[in-house]
Amino acid sequence: MFWPDTISKKLGIRYPLIQAPMFGVSTPQMVAAAAKADCLGSLALADLSADECIKLIRETKKLTNQPFAINIFAHEIPVVTSALKEKFVKVRTFLEQLARENNIEVSLPYFEDIKVNGYHELIDAIIRENGKIVSFTFGNLDGKSIQKLKENGVTLIGTCTSVKEALILEESGIDMICVQGTEAGGHRGTFDPNHVLQIGGLSLLSQVYEQVAVPLIYAGGIYNAKTLQAVKDLGAQGFQVGNLLLASEESALEPFEKERLKNVNEDEIVLTKSFSGRYARGVKNKFIEKVENSEYILPYPYQNKLTNGLRKAAKSQQNVDFVGLWAGQSIHHYSELSTEEILRNLINQAEEN
Ligand SMILES: Cc1cc2nc3c(=O)[nH]c(=O)nc-3n(C[C@H](O)[C@H](O)[C@H](O)COP(=O)(O)O)c2cc1C
């Protein structure tokens, strides 16, 4: 039997294969398709408001009656200072000018227009909506939230990018840990955004496995039976795939973005904090080149909120130079089949290997 069963038994799924939460790319349809493949889907809610989250949870529940994970950001919100507000004005002006120079019409928000959401308001909403699995990234939940969720029978999955973070999650009673290797597409889950570690999956998973007793899910670079087998051998009991599903039928990416992925080279997959203020892995483009090493980067979530309008405008113009296109290091042929078929193919490959 290929599949370890600790995680699948606990989560009520057949295969411990997890469709990665991918905010902006994964959809309720993708979550339902993963469930159809007898895997775990993940609904990415990032730092949306409670009302927006409730809407998406209900939409997903209409599409599937199988268990799915609700994924949120456990980030700390920066203190608002006059220095932050001043820098915001400078970054806003710079970005609007950059957009104009590149024929993108956009009016970016003022500081006062920005609404910053923390995860606390989501905890009660998730409990009310009867969420049973919550995964999170960018830090740990506070003790009170952990207690509340556990009292309501919610299984918790935290994300680590170092042994130190894994130990913190374990000590605070988190049920399972998603070990994110640096290969992974999208944001690094690192707790401290100013101290981002880039530990490769092989080193990280093996060391976390030696030091932590809770079941481990591995994320980062899995794209075929061999990569699955390798991380299973290193101690993973669950397997999370994101990059593999980017071009799937249920992905929210536009056809021009899927096309770009199909032509991407390995030296174009980079880490950048230019879009959000937190490091994320994605496809290098003109925006990253202009902003990455500049003084025009605000802390998360302000950079993210400010570049959002620019990215949306670029997307509507099919302008690949200014969209935030996240991708991992395992470049493959980016299948456009349904999420269900892609996951089933991986399951079959793993069982035949
Ligand atoms: C487009 C994209 C968006 C992502 N958004 C999230 C997110 O909202 N929450 C989260 O915990 N991880 C997010 N991630 C990270 C994935 O959950 C996962 O760790 C990663 O995709 C695994 O590596 P792989 O891409 O090599 O499969 C994102 C990844 C991608 C590619």
Side-chain angles (χ1 to χ4, degrees), residues 20-23 25 44 71 73 137 180 183-186 219-221 240-243 246 326 328:
M22 294 185 282
F23 188 66
V25 172
N71 179 265
F73 288 173
T137 188
Q180 191 191 38
E183 300 89 336
Q240 182 162 301
V241 292
N243 196 40
L246 286 178
W326 303 142

Side-chain angles (χ1 to χ4, degrees), residues 43-338:
L43 180 67
L45 299 177
D47 56 359
L48 292 175
S49 70
D51 284 349
E52 290 169 305
C53 289
I54 291 170
K55 203 169 145 241
L56 285 165
I57 294 170
R58 289 184 183 171
E59 196 181 327
T60 308
K61 280 193 174 166
K62 276 194 196 142
L63 301 174
T64 181
N65 54 15
Q66 297 300 305
F68 61 90
I70 294 172
N71 179 265
I72 56 175
F73 288 173
H75 59 290
E76 280 182 15
I77 295 169
V79 181
V80 175
T81 59
S82 48
L84 176 67
K85 284 184 176 178
E86 276 165 32
K87 187 162 177 182
F88 186 94
V89 174
K90 280 191 195 147
V91 179
R92 182 179 180 278
T93 309
F94 170 81
L95 292 176
E96 281 196 343
Q97 194 180 328
L98 182 65
R100 247 190 329 272
E101 284 166 9
N102 289 279
N103 304 316
I104 302 172
E105 268 309 308
V106 72
S107 167
L108 300 180
Y110 292 99
F111 193 85
E112 293 68 33
D113 301 332
I114 285 184
K115 163 109 176 60
V116 173
N117 303 309
Y119 67 84
H120 292 96
E121 63 169 306
L122 302 186
I123 303 297
D124 286 334
I126 291 170
I127 291 170
R128 265 200 317 276
E129 293 303 309
N130 206 20
K132 286 293 167 219
I133 306 166
V134 168
S135 64
F136 54 91
T137 188
F138 291 172
N140 196 6
L141 302 175
D142 67 288
K144 223 167 131 191
S145 300
I146 293 174
Q147 194 189 348
K148 213 182 223 183
L149 287 162
K150 290 193 125 192
E151 279 168 6
N152 283 279
V154 179
T155 301
L156 296 174
I157 307 173
T159 306
C160 80
T161 60
S162 68
V163 174
K164 193 172 155 195
E165 291 170 350
L167 291 168
I168 293 171
L169 292 169
E170 179 179 51
E171 192 157 319
S172 59
I174 302 306
D175 301 293
M176 296 173 190
I177 299 177
C178 173
V179 177
Q180 191 191 38
T182 196
E183 300 89 336
H187 278 100
R188 306 287 306 131
T190 312
F191 291 14
D192 178 357
N194 299 315
H195 190 64
V196 171
L197 292 167
Q198 300 307 333
I199 306 176
L202 199 84
S203 304
L204 182 61
L205 177 59
S206 183
Q207 292 179 72
V208 173
Y209 183 70
E210 280 176 9
Q211 297 193 45
V212 157
V214 295
L216 303 179
I217 294 161
Y218 177 76
I222 298 174
Y223 74 108
N224 58 12
K226 285 202 162 70
T227 45
L228 250 175
Q229 178 71 54
V231 296
K232 181 185 157 189
D233 290 347
L234 287 172
Q237 291 175 298
F239 312 90
Q240 182 162 301
V241 292
N243 196 40
L244 189 68
L245 303 171
L246 286 178
S248 67
E249 202 178 299
E250 296 83 2
S251 156
L253 290 183
E254 294 290 334
F256 80 95
E257 294 173 302
K258 293 181 178 177
E259 211 40 54
R260 176 68 188 101
L261 287 173
K262 287 182 184 154
N263 299 313
V264 79
N265 294 316
E266 57 188 358
D267 59 347
E268 294 175 308
I269 305 282
V270 296
L271 270 178
T272 177
K273 57 178 178 169
S274 57
F275 282 109
S276 73
R278 269 187 172 265
Y279 276 106
R281 190 175 292 292
V283 180
K284 190 164 153 184
N285 62 9
K286 192 167 175 182
F287 181 86
I288 296 175
E289 280 168 5
K290 291 277 177 198
V291 182
E292 188 60 22
N293 295 311
S294 76
E295 57 194 295
Y296 302 110
I297 303 180
L298 294 160
Y300 184 90
Y302 291 100
Q303 186 77 1
N304 201 44
K305 301 266 182 194
L306 203 45
T307 63
N308 198 21
L310 177 51
R311 283 177 281 153
K312 274 195 183 144
K315 197 158 177 148
S316 69
Q317 292 181 6
Q318 306 195 3
N319 183 345
V320 85
D321 273 333
F322 285 83
V323 291
L325 184 53
W326 303 142
Q329 286 183 330
S330 289
I331 297 171
H332 55 96
H333 77 285
Y334 292 102
S335 167
E336 292 193 39
L337 290 175
S338 73

